[in-house]
Amino acid sequence: MLQWQSDSVGSIYNYLSPGCQICRQGAGLVLFVTGRCERGCFYCPISEDRRGKDVAYADEQPVGELADILSEGRAIGALGTGITGGEPLLRLDYVLDCIRALKEEFGSEHHIHLYTGILPNRSVLERLAQSRPG
């Protein structure tokens, strides 16, 4: 039988993924790596200010270089990072650089999850797997 849990704000759940647990603690860095996407989904929540533009943000702070991402991560005590966009895999090399930098700064236990609408091929999956230590 499932064990249902509830929290102080009334959420009821039986399992939260590691990324959701980190976000629930307020310790998740949201890394928006690009507004570019080739899909055009009618339900896309990206603002017109970002849609189609090759811009990056770390928790709503504009990103010019990797150091900006790490600075925001330190400021919030990030335990994990959600990489999103547009379509992050359209900037695969940048995503890989970000993953390496985050893991070097916060350690191998820093949880990273990637939100994508593309089915990555084996080569992309291998590159993503190799971007993290161990």
Side-chain angles (χ1 to χ4, degrees):
M1 180 174 259
L2 293 174
Q3 293 286 17
W4 291 97
Q5 301 175 38
S6 62
D7 62 17
S8 62
V9 295
S11 295
I12 298 173
Y13 56 91
N14 67 344
Y15 171 78
L16 287 177
S17 68
C20 291
Q21 291 176 31
I22 289 167
C23 189
R24 189 168 171 260
Q25 294 174 50
L29 176 69
V30 177
L31 180 56
F32 181 93
V33 296
T34 185
R36 292 177 36 229
C37 183
E38 297 170 349
R39 293 180 61 105
C41 302
F42 73 90
Y43 54 82
C44 180
I46 298 174
S47 72
E48 292 303 317
D49 293 338
R50 294 185 188 182
R51 187 180 315 234
K53 297 182 177 109
D54 209 9
V55 295
Y57 292 85
D59 287 342
E60 303 302 318
Q61 301 300 314
V63 170
E65 54 190 48
L66 292 176
D68 298 332
I69 298 166
L70 301 179
S71 176
E72 178 63 16
R74 284 189 298 273
I76 69 162
L79 299 176
T81 300
I83 300 175
T84 188
E87 178 47 62
L89 292 182
L90 293 178
R91 293 199 65 201
L92 179 59
D93 289 334
Y94 182 65
V95 167
L96 296 171
D97 290 343
C98 291
I99 292 171
R100 284 186 206 99
L102 288 161
K103 292 289 189 173
E104 285 175 13
E105 179 72 19
F106 300 111
S108 62
E109 69 284 350
H110 186 81
H111 180 81
I112 296 178
H113 52 275
L114 174 72
Y115 295 98
T116 180
I118 292 176
L119 180 61
N121 62 33
R122 182 176 199 83
S123 171
V124 170
L125 291 173
E126 286 172 354
R127 290 180 69 194
L128 287 164
Q130 292 167 359
S131 69
R132 57 185 174 80

